[in-house]
Amino acid sequence: MKKLLFGLLSLAFSLATIAQSVPSPEQFLGYKVGTRFTRHHRIVEYVKTVANARPEMVKIEKYGETNEGRELMLAFVSTPENMQKLDQIRINNLRMAGLSKDKAAPQVENAPAIVWLSYNVHGNEASSSEAFLLTIHALTDPANAQTKEWLKNTVVVLDPCINPDGRDRYINWYNSVVGKNYNADPASREHAEPWPGGRSNHYNFDLNRDWAWQTQVETQQRIKKYQEWMPQIHVDYHEQGFNEPYYFAPAAEPIHEVITPWQRDFQVMIGRNHAKYFDQNNWLFFTKERFDLLYPSYGDTYPVYNGAIGMTYEQGGIRAGLGILNEDNDTLTLVDRAAHHFTTGLSTIEIASKNKSKLLAEFKQFFDDSRAGKIGEYKTYVFTAKDENKMAALKKLLSQNGIEYGVLSSKTFRGFNYFTGKEDAFTDEGNHIAVSSFQPRAVMAKVLLEPRTVVSDSNTYDITAWAASYAYGIKGYAVKEKLAVNPESAGTSVASINSNYGALVPYTSFSSAKVLAYLLKNGVKVRFVEKPFTYKSKNYDRGTLVVLKTSNQQNWLTVLNNACAQFNVQADAVETGFMDKGSDFGSPDIKNIAATPRVAMLTGEQSSSLAAGEVWHYFDKILEYPITLLNAVDIARYNLKNYDVLIIPDGNYRSLGEKATADKLKDFVRGGGKLIALENAMALMSRSDWGIKLKEAKADKAEDSVKKYANRETDYITNSIPGAIYKVDLDNTHPLAFGYPEFYYTLKQDGNVYEMMKDGWNVGTIKKDAYVTGFAGAKLKPNLKDGMLFGVQDIGAGTVVYIAEDPLFRNFWENGYLLIANAVFLAGK
């Protein structure tokens, strides 16, 4: 008896010791979760502490760093038995999807389901990382019998914070303005976050819109890990306006047609489980509204298109700080918000555990159907371009998303031609790739490549069109038959050139613009041609770059060869300025580019943070050309003569309506400067005497004089355009459109169309029947015609470039890159 009693006491002491070895978040931090915001480094430290305390249950992995050097990490949590074979579980999971290199038969019955929870994608939606602290403790707490049982059937992958830079930006600001006790008054300054806010990452990008495009370093590193695991469930955590209750699945329409009945049904099942816990606590929630499953680059849709149950959970809380008084006269606290996210997290793991067999079976079936070619009407997508660098950009997108591609042995077929909008025989432009629908990621391929996205409900949360053929400016064919796709052979490398006179660089893609930027940045003087010419029986088009030994330093050729090798552009040597046909190099038609144009951009308050971020990231990370960021509110004090080019991105600039600011900008242009106005900046300028005028939309004569309150959403939608693709006719004899064909596809997101300029160049115009795909409201659509979208106007010694669209949209609209480079380097006097 004494031995038994001693044994029980020893066991109890051992359990107590283990329990003490896993400190609660409150014990570790010194405060209750939700009573203060936790900085990112402290979250990382807590994860490492838990992993050290429970190494048999927790594995942590650093998967990268942010732009500002903060750690990106994952925590894997499961039972000791599952953790001992963690990599086997991962490989087996890939086998179920047909993505494992070894092609061995997968184990389905005895495998655990993989649940991936991603927190804090938007930095100022900060409650979810606090909920993460509660969640990882609950999963590793030896006293928690429930989670211990759930983990037998699951491996839980936790990303504590997708956006550490944005989170710390928000928290550091908030901590600097909050008092000893928080102030719940919504008017208090602690609820009025300054520009640019903590929502976005370092470059002011919305990481929740970047999953498929992977333009940002955080996304690029995370998706590599995601594709190594391919979970059955993925949840990303968000916050919405503080007056909103909690949102969870099932999602709203439109739901993409590729989403399976099981994926829909599971969302209902998990929603009912969440509702059970929320009802017990008398917490309000809503489902089936607002948050749809269409746009492919969200943290819920991207996993869905990769075979998972993808869901977003939205807690009311933006601007709430530690506590705020909402419209119900209730105080919403960070403690509340963290508790709600914590509850849905555990509920998700619970349902996954109880339904793991069905989850795995349906997951496998999803990929079995994909490999069998059961996805969509088109069985092969073929893309072709003259310039291999344009094709390389599309290949990169496919590779980043794990989509297989190759080349065709037979090119005799017909398909839907994206550019003509009808069935045509294939014409090879010189380079091509083909994507078969008989592959594991056929769903993702269909969603990204299909010419027309079926939209079941026009009330969408984001853009409704993104087909890669239009976004990348590459001719495509969607083919209903299965074509034989073979592995692609290695491409040719760029050869260095020798010349004692000069070189010609073809200007046929954005890669040529990158060569130009590199040369200018390294002090090489460059010219370009305005008219086609012929040299040694080879034809060169408008925009061709001319780099001559004349006026350049001795190392000009080395710099040129380095640039061409880096950006895969083949230059040609030239030994004389006398051309076979066309202008000789001394002709006025050969234009000099200002040596290293000094570029600045208005940013800060009054500019759109996302739009300014697009331009900043484009120059800093894509074009790799220096840009100076100027605060828009301080424009009066800047000496604009220090710059050659001034970019005004989208925004709501009060100063543009002020005479003093307008006069200063006009003086800058008259003195030889170049002003580039984008989107709403152009609209604001049209209200004054800059020489452009916004076309007035024609009123709908059939519109009812009395509106019904119940129809308010429908009435709004008929005048909206959340993102549709339109064809723009280009005057590609103008330098702004060099390197393009006679058309360009734009993602139209507003109804702005401008009257044709009489004293300027209408380079990009929209005509009748310019609509291609995506949703455009019935009342708005008829007005999108017969006007100017891209224009160039000479004023004095300088130039204004007008671009009514967003050619750098989320930096995935690849075909717009060249337009901005042309605006900076080529367009104008």
Side-chain angles (χ1 to χ4, degrees), residues 137-388:
H137 179 255
L139 293 175
T140 56
D141 182 0
N144 195 322
Q146 277 189 323
T147 59
K148 190 181 300 183
E149 192 66 27
W150 298 338
L151 288 175
K152 291 179 181 178
N153 290 331
T154 59
V155 170
V156 181
V157 187
L158 303 162
D159 190 328
C161 184
I162 285 179
N163 183 9
D165 291 351
R167 177 182 174 84
D168 274 4
R169 185 189 316 134
Y170 169 70
I171 290 174
N172 289 337
W173 165 78
Y174 183 83
N175 288 343
S176 74
V177 296
V178 70
K180 178 181 178 182
N181 299 307
Y182 68 80
N183 189 327
D185 182 354
S188 176
R189 68 171 182 169
E190 65 200 68
H191 305 299
E193 193 180 359
W195 194 98
R199 177 183 178 86
S200 56
N201 77 340
H202 175 82
Y203 283 102
N204 299 343
F205 268 72
D206 185 334
L207 294 179
N208 192 41
R209 271 86 175 162
D210 193 49
W211 281 69
W213 319 127
Q214 298 170 49
T215 68
Q216 300 303 294
V217 66
E218 295 93 340
T219 316
Q220 293 161 5
Q221 296 170 113
R222 185 179 68 257
I223 294 298
K224 288 178 182 178
K225 300 309 300 182
Y226 187 94
Q227 290 174 353
E228 289 179 10
W229 282 92
M230 298 294 289
Q232 280 74 47
I233 293 179
H234 179 270
V235 176
D236 67 327
Y237 288 86
H238 292 267
E239 292 188 73
Q240 52 192 326
F242 65 85
N243 286 313
E244 304 291 341
Y246 200 98
Y247 163 83
F248 49 72
E253 291 287 348
I255 296 176
H256 198 288
E257 61 181 348
V258 298
I259 296 175
T260 68
W262 162 249
Q263 288 173 318
R264 290 170 178 255
D265 292 345
F266 189 88
Q267 289 215 341
V268 175
M269 183 192 311
I270 204 164
R272 291 189 184 280
N273 202 61
H274 295 344
K276 176 183 68 177
Y277 292 113
F278 273 58
D279 290 343
Q280 288 172 3
N281 288 282
N282 296 308
W283 297 337
L284 292 177
F285 61 89
F286 68 98
T287 66
K288 304 179 291 293
E289 297 179 58
R290 194 176 303 167
F291 302 103
D292 58 69
L293 290 175
L294 186 70
Y295 173 69
S297 210
Y298 282 136
D300 55 2
T301 50
Y302 186 88
V304 165
Y305 299 144
N306 279 279
I309 309 296
M311 295 170 290
T312 187
Y313 296 164
E314 297 269 355
Q315 163 66 49
I318 294 176
R319 291 184 52 217
L322 294 176
I324 197 167
L325 194 67
N326 64 22
E327 61 187 10
D328 294 330
N329 210 31
D330 292 329
T331 300
L332 174 68
T333 68
L334 182 59
V335 173
D336 300 329
R337 291 146 59 199
H340 300 163
H341 273 326
F342 168 65
T343 300
T344 54
L346 291 191
S347 175
T348 300
I349 298 167
E350 175 190 15
I351 289 298
S353 179
K354 292 179 178 178
N355 294 275
K356 76 99 177 178
S357 296
K358 182 68 171 173
L359 275 169
L360 296 181
E362 291 290 341
F363 177 81
K364 183 177 183 300
Q365 189 64 52
F366 179 96
F367 289 99
D368 287 347
D369 290 346
S370 295
R371 295 197 304 276
K374 295 182 180 180
I375 308 301
E377 62 173 322
Y378 297 115
K379 303 307 176 186
T380 315
Y381 300 91
V382 185
F383 302 93
T384 182
K386 293 179 182 178
D387 191 300
E388 65 176 317

Side-chain angles (χ1 to χ4, degrees), residues 124 292 311 515 715:
N124 58 4
D292 58 69
M311 295 170 290
V515 170
D715 291 340

Side-chain angles (χ1 to χ4, degrees), residues 806-826:
D806 183 1
L808 301 178
F809 183 71
R810 295 177 187 166
N811 277 186
F812 88 82
W813 205 261
E814 181 90 16
N815 201 30
Y817 289 179
L818 185 62
L819 191 68
I820 295 297
N822 288 351
V824 171
F825 298 125
L826 306 186

Side-chain angles (χ1 to χ4, degrees), residues 706-726:
V706 179
K707 296 181 179 180
K708 290 186 177 181
Y709 180 76
N711 296 337
R712 64 194 185 280
E713 288 188 3
T714 304
D715 291 340
Y716 168 77
I717 290 169
T718 60
N719 285 292
S720 71
I721 180 167
I725 296 173
Y726 275 73

Side-chain angles (χ1 to χ4, degrees), residues 45-73:
E45 288 169 0
Y46 182 68
V47 177
K48 292 178 178 178
T49 298
V50 172
N52 287 333
R54 299 302 304 272
E56 77 283 5
M57 287 189 68
V58 182
K59 175 188 174 184
I60 58 175
E61 180 178 352
K62 178 180 177 180
Y63 67 85
E65 291 185 352
T66 68
N67 288 289
E68 297 176 17
R70 292 182 175 88
E71 186 172 350
L72 296 167
M73 69 183 311

